[in-house]
Amino acid sequence: MDDFRRAYLRLCKEAGVEPQESVLMQLHEARGRAAVAASGGTRLDLGGQSLTVETCAVLGRTLQKDTLFTELALSDCMLSEEGAKLFLNGLCSNTTVRVLDLKGNNLRGAGAEALGKVLVRNKTLRRLVLEWNALGMWEEGFSIFCEGLASNGCLGQLDLRNNQINHQGAAELALALKRNSVLQELDLRWNNIGLLGGRALLDALQQNRSLLRLEMAGNNVPSDILRSIEQSTEHNADRQSTLRESRSRTQVLSKEIQTLKEEKGRQLLSLMETIDQQKDEMGRSSRNSSIRVGQLQEALNERKSAVNSLTAKLQMNEAALALAEQKVSNLGDQLTRVKLEKNELLERHSREIKKQQEETLLCEGKLLREVNSLSEKNHQLKNKLEESERRCKSQQDQIFELKQELTNSTAELKLRLAQAEERLDTEKRRSKQALEDMDSLRQKEVDHINRHLEERERALQDRILKLEGQRIQLEEELSRAKAAMVTERAQAEEEMGKVRAQVRLEEQQHLSSMEEKLRSARQSRDEAQSHCTQQKQTIAELHARTGQQSIEMDALRRRIDELQQELSGKEQDKMAEVARVRVELQEQIGHLQAERTAQSSLKEKIAALEREMKALGTSHREALLDKESEISSLLERLRMKEGEIQRMREDEAQRASFLQNAILTYVQGSPLGHHSPKK
């Protein structure tokens, strides 16, 4: 405020004009009001003050760069044409004034021209009060004012009461209103518009869609034209309200769609995470099972080597006993007993190994059955999800994005499957190489044993005396092996219990996640149903409006018939006017019919949108079915891989049994083996 006052005083000094005391007093009062209400706009009230031309020029220059005042009141200031022109020229470049009150200043041609320039150049003025002036006396000046109003894009309220506007000025205003799309309230009371001006304004309202209020009292305008003007303004107000409602609804729908998109993205991410976790767990279980199988094979190999060494030692003892005739009987009996015990131990070991293999196979079968039951449960839950998703018809924009995400997920799953297949191939190759290496090592050991048989036969004579001590040692070793087998069996049972507990925990987690997904799907279904009810309400409102418009059409037709009956007895001079009225009424009827056709087109659009929603829903269901088929195929592949692993394990067990039988047949087919039963 102080800056404005200083600028005003400085410009007064530069122009050589003494500042008016009334203006300074009003500035002082405005400073007090600004201090009280600092958050809102500031008002400068110079109403009732007689302002000279010089003060008007200085005020216009100060207001060019002012950013303080938002409301200017210059009512009843007795402004001259020149003073008003200078003051309004300053407002052309102002960017803060929103309300301008020029009531009772007797503005005429020059003032109207200046106001037209302000409307063209000013971009912030929202309300303009021009009551009790004479803008309509000069047609040229008022036409310039109307051109400025037509090109204005910010003015919302205009007060032109008591401005001596005739039907020609009303025609200029009508042309301006046809081009203006911002003005909402226009007050033309107490002018001299007449019948022609009323018709021109009515024609303008047929094109203007923004004017919500038009006051026409005291203008010698017929009541039917006033009623039609009121109906058009009410129609514009209804249109604005419908537009606002539609905008708010579109905003709400966009927010809901965004939330649904986020929820669907989260659900897909959770599904992908669960699938990855299940794959990782399956890989871990397969690795653990392969490690266990390898350990069992190593134990079997160690035991086979021990058995081979024992059989070699027995053969050497039998050869030594054959050479020693004196101790053959006692030592032969002892050796036969030892052989029988060892055979029994070997049979027991083989039985225990077979039992362990059967138990492992049973455990694996149970795990596979549990996995199959879980997959069946997943299928059931997916079927439930499909039933819930069939009722959701409002997910239009989400489907395309879900398709893209599903394609990405399928690509990732395919890549992961390829990686898993490569890993399985590598593991197969490694297992095959390990088996070939083991076969080669066994063949080498057999050759080495055959070479050293002759050397050990020579040394048997010296070891006959040590057989009793070796027998005791062998019995201790057998007891140790039994204890180790018992401990290994207990460890295997503990590991199987842990695996079962993990599988149960995984089942519970998967069931909880699927329940959460069902809840989210139900929520989305409820939201879609609420949206459908809203759309039905809007359609019902549109039907009600069409009924009202049909009632209005019937009333208008009845009115036409009444006018024809009343005007039939009048003179021929008024027939032209009657014809004009008929033409106008026919135009209104045409407009109403056009609106009815527009409403019918809206209904068709709504039906088309519903069809599109149905089509999108069907495409979404098909995409989900495709993904479920892909998941089932992936599960079948996993089952095939597990079957191959089981086959490999069985092949390894068969090879081990074949090797054991070959060693036994070799031992039995050797000359020492033939000699022992003869004895």
Side-chain angles (χ1 to χ4, degrees):
M1 185 63 70
D2 292 332
D3 295 334
F4 185 81
R5 187 175 182 182
R6 289 171 189 170
Y8 174 69
L9 293 172
R10 181 174 55 79
L11 291 171
C12 286
K13 286 180 182 179
E14 290 178 359
V17 179
E18 292 183 1
Q20 290 184 3
E21 293 181 358
S22 60
V23 176
L24 294 173
M25 290 293 290
Q26 291 298 326
L27 289 173
H28 183 69
E29 292 177 0
R31 181 174 64 183
R33 289 194 295 272
V36 173
S39 61
T42 307
R43 187 171 186 270
L44 179 60
D45 191 358
L46 298 176
Q49 305 294 331
S50 61
L51 301 177
T52 61
V53 177
E54 291 80 5
T55 54
C56 289
V58 173
L59 285 172
R61 291 176 66 188
T62 52
L63 288 169
Q64 284 181 355
K65 297 181 181 179
D66 178 57
T67 58
L68 178 63
F69 294 108
T70 59
E71 185 174 355
L72 297 176
L74 299 174
S75 60
D76 299 325
C77 289
M78 299 301 291
L79 296 177
S80 63
E81 293 287 330
E82 189 66 25
K85 186 176 181 180
L86 293 171
F87 179 77
L88 293 171
N89 287 330
L91 285 176
C92 289
S93 59
N94 187 281
T95 58
T96 57
V97 176
R98 295 181 180 274
V99 180
L100 178 60
D101 188 357
L102 295 174
K103 178 181 177 183
N105 284 297
N106 198 16
L107 298 176
R108 297 188 181 183
E113 292 178 0
L115 285 169
K117 291 179 181 178
V118 170
L119 291 173
V120 171
R121 297 175 63 184
N122 194 312
K123 303 299 180 183
T124 58
L125 193 62
R126 297 290 184 271
R127 183 183 178 192
L128 181 59
V129 180
L130 298 173
E131 185 181 0
W132 289 104
N133 286 291
L135 298 175
M137 288 183 68
W138 300 94
E139 295 179 0
E140 295 179 356
F142 193 70
S143 64
I144 293 169
F145 173 78
C146 292
E147 288 178 358
L149 180 62
S151 61
N152 185 272
C154 61
L155 188 65
Q157 296 178 2
L158 179 60
D159 189 354
L160 294 174
R161 289 179 288 176
N162 291 308
N163 271 279
Q164 300 180 12
I165 300 171
N166 55 13
H167 65 281
Q168 294 179 355
E172 294 290 337
L173 274 174
L175 292 173
L177 289 175
K178 288 180 181 179
R179 294 168 58 191
N180 192 320
S181 62
V182 178
L183 189 65
Q184 294 181 355
E185 294 181 6
L186 178 60
D187 195 347
L188 296 173
R189 289 179 289 180
W190 309 110
N191 285 294
N192 192 14
I193 292 173
L195 177 62
L196 297 176
R199 288 177 180 175
L201 291 171
L202 184 59
D203 291 333
L205 287 174
Q206 298 299 326
Q207 295 182 6
N208 191 326
R209 302 298 182 186
S210 63
L211 192 62
L212 305 178
R213 183 180 176 188
L214 179 60
E215 297 291 341
M216 293 286 290
N219 281 292
N220 295 322
V221 180
S223 61
D224 55 352
I225 293 173
L226 290 174
R227 289 175 186 173
S228 60
I229 287 169
E230 288 178 359
Q231 289 176 2
S232 61
T233 53
E234 289 176 358
H235 187 66
N236 289 335
D238 293 335
R239 187 180 286 107
Q240 291 293 328
S241 63
T242 53
L243 287 171
R244 289 173 186 171
E245 290 177 357
S246 64
R247 287 173 184 172
S248 63
R249 287 175 182 173
T250 52
Q251 289 177 359
V252 171
L253 288 171
S254 62
K255 289 180 182 178
E256 290 179 354
I257 288 163
Q258 287 178 358
T259 55
L260 289 170
K261 286 179 181 178
E262 291 176 357
E263 288 179 357
K264 287 293 180 181
R266 291 172 185 172
Q267 289 177 3
L268 287 171
L269 290 172
S270 64
L271 285 170
M272 292 298 294
E273 288 178 357
T274 53
I275 290 165
D276 293 332
Q277 289 177 0
Q278 288 177 0
K279 286 183 178 180
D280 293 332
E281 289 173 358
M282 291 294 289
R284 289 174 184 174
S285 63
S286 63
R287 289 173 185 173
N288 291 324
S289 62
S290 63
I291 290 164
R292 288 174 189 172
V293 170
Q295 290 177 358
L296 291 170
Q297 286 180 356
E298 288 178 356
L300 286 170
N301 292 324
E302 289 178 356
R303 288 171 187 173
K304 285 177 183 178
S305 63
V307 169
N308 290 324
S309 63
L310 289 171
T311 52
K313 287 178 182 179
L314 287 171
Q315 289 176 1
M316 292 169 68
N317 289 325
E318 287 177 355
L321 287 169
L323 294 171
E325 292 179 355
Q326 294 178 358
K327 298 179 179 180
V328 167
S329 61
N330 296 324
L331 293 172
D333 296 331
Q334 292 177 358
L335 286 168
T336 53
R337 290 174 184 175
V338 169
K339 284 182 179 180
L340 292 170
E341 289 176 356
K342 288 182 179 179
N343 290 320
E344 289 177 356
L345 290 170
L346 288 169
E347 288 177 355
R348 289 176 185 175
H349 283 299
S350 63
R351 289 173 184 174
E352 289 176 355
I353 289 162
K354 288 179 179 179
K355 286 179 180 179
Q356 288 179 358
Q357 289 178 355
E358 290 176 354
E359 288 176 355
T360 54
L361 292 170
L362 290 171
C363 292
E364 289 177 355
K366 288 179 180 179
L367 290 171
L368 290 169
R369 289 171 186 173
E370 290 176 355
V371 170
N372 291 321
S373 65
L374 288 171
S375 64
E376 290 177 356
K377 290 179 181 178
N378 289 325
H379 286 300
Q380 291 176 0
L381 292 170
K382 287 177 181 178
N383 291 322
K384 291 180 180 179
L385 284 171
E386 286 178 358
E387 291 177 358
S388 63
E389 285 178 354
R390 287 172 185 173
R391 298 175 185 175
C392 297
K393 294 180 181 179
S394 65
Q395 297 178 355
Q396 297 178 356
D397 298 330
Q398 296 178 2
I399 293 166
F400 182 72
E401 295 178 356
L402 286 170
K403 284 181 180 179
Q404 292 180 352
E405 291 177 356
L406 287 169
T407 52
N408 293 324
S409 63
T410 52
E412 290 178 357
L413 288 170
K414 287 178 181 178
L415 290 171
R416 289 178 182 174
L417 283 170
Q419 291 178 359
E421 289 177 355
E422 290 177 359
R423 289 177 183 173
L424 288 170
D425 293 330
T426 53
E427 287 178 356
K428 285 181 180 179
R429 291 172 184 174
R430 288 177 183 174
S431 63
K432 287 180 181 179
Q433 288 179 0
L435 289 170
E436 290 175 359
D437 294 331
M438 290 293 291
D439 292 330
S440 63
L441 288 171
R442 285 170 186 170
Q443 289 177 1
K444 288 179 181 179
E445 287 177 357
V446 169
D447 295 332
H448 185 70
I449 288 165
N450 290 323
R451 290 175 185 174
H452 288 283
L453 280 173
E454 294 177 357
E455 293 178 359
R456 289 181 181 178
E457 286 177 358
R458 294 174 185 175
L460 280 172
Q461 292 178 1
D462 297 330
R463 295 181 182 176
I464 291 167
L465 298 172
K466 298 179 182 180
L467 285 171
E468 293 178 356
Q470 289 178 358
R471 186 182 66 185
I472 293 164
Q473 291 178 358
L474 289 168
E475 289 176 356
E476 291 176 354
E477 288 177 357
L478 288 169
S479 64
R480 290 174 185 173
K482 288 179 180 180
M485 287 293 292
V486 171
T487 55
E488 287 177 355
R489 187 173 181 180
Q491 289 178 358
E493 289 177 353
E494 289 177 355
E495 289 177 353
M496 289 297 293
K498 290 179 181 179
V499 169
R500 289 174 181 174
Q502 288 179 358
V503 170
R504 289 174 184 173
L505 290 170
E506 290 173 357
E507 287 178 357
Q508 292 176 358
Q509 292 176 358
H510 187 68
L511 288 170
S512 63
S513 65
M514 293 302 289
E515 287 176 354
E516 289 177 356
K517 290 175 184 177
L518 283 169
R519 289 174 186 171
S520 63
R522 287 173 183 172
Q523 290 177 359
S524 63
R525 182 190 65 191
D526 294 334
E527 290 175 356
Q529 288 178 357
S530 65
H531 182 64
C532 289
T533 54
Q534 289 178 0
Q535 286 185 353
K536 288 179 181 178
Q537 288 177 0
T538 54
I539 290 162
E541 290 176 358
L542 289 170
H543 284 300
R545 287 179 184 173
T546 53
Q548 290 178 359
Q549 288 178 359
S550 64
I551 291 164
E552 290 177 358
M553 286 286 292
D554 295 330
L556 288 170
R557 287 174 182 173
R558 290 173 185 173
R559 189 176 175 184
I560 289 163
D561 296 329
E562 291 174 357
L563 288 170
Q564 286 177 359
Q565 290 175 3
E566 289 175 358
L567 292 172
S568 62
K570 291 185 180 181
E571 297 177 354
Q572 294 181 358
D573 294 335
K574 294 183 179 180
M575 290 299 292
E577 294 180 357
V578 172
R580 291 178 185 175
V581 171
R582 287 178 181 175
V583 169
E584 290 175 357
L585 291 170
Q586 287 177 0
E587 289 178 355
Q588 290 179 0
I589 290 163
H591 287 298
L592 291 170
Q593 289 178 356
E595 287 178 355
R596 184 179 286 178
T597 54
Q599 288 177 359
S600 63
S601 64
L602 285 172
K603 290 179 182 178
E604 291 176 356
K605 287 180 181 178
I606 289 162
L609 289 171
E610 289 177 353
R611 291 171 186 172
E612 289 177 358
M613 289 167 67
K614 289 180 182 178
L616 290 170
T618 54
S619 62
H620 181 57
R621 291 171 194 166
E622 291 176 356
L624 287 172
L625 291 171
D626 293 333
K627 293 299 172 185
E628 287 177 357
S629 64
E630 289 179 359
I631 290 163
S632 62
S633 65
L634 290 172
L635 290 171
E636 288 178 357
R637 288 183 182 177
L638 287 171
R639 290 174 186 172
M640 294 293 289
K641 296 295 181 184
E642 289 175 356
E644 289 178 1
I645 291 164
Q646 289 180 0
R647 290 173 186 174
M648 290 173 69
R649 289 175 184 172
E650 290 174 358
D651 293 333
E652 288 175 357
Q654 288 178 1
R655 287 179 183 175
S657 63
F658 288 150
L659 287 169
Q660 189 176 1
N661 293 323
I663 290 164
L664 290 172
T665 53
Y666 178 78
V667 171
Q668 291 176 2
S670 63
L672 294 173
H674 289 292
H675 183 73
S676 59
K678 289 178 181 180
K679 294 290 180 184

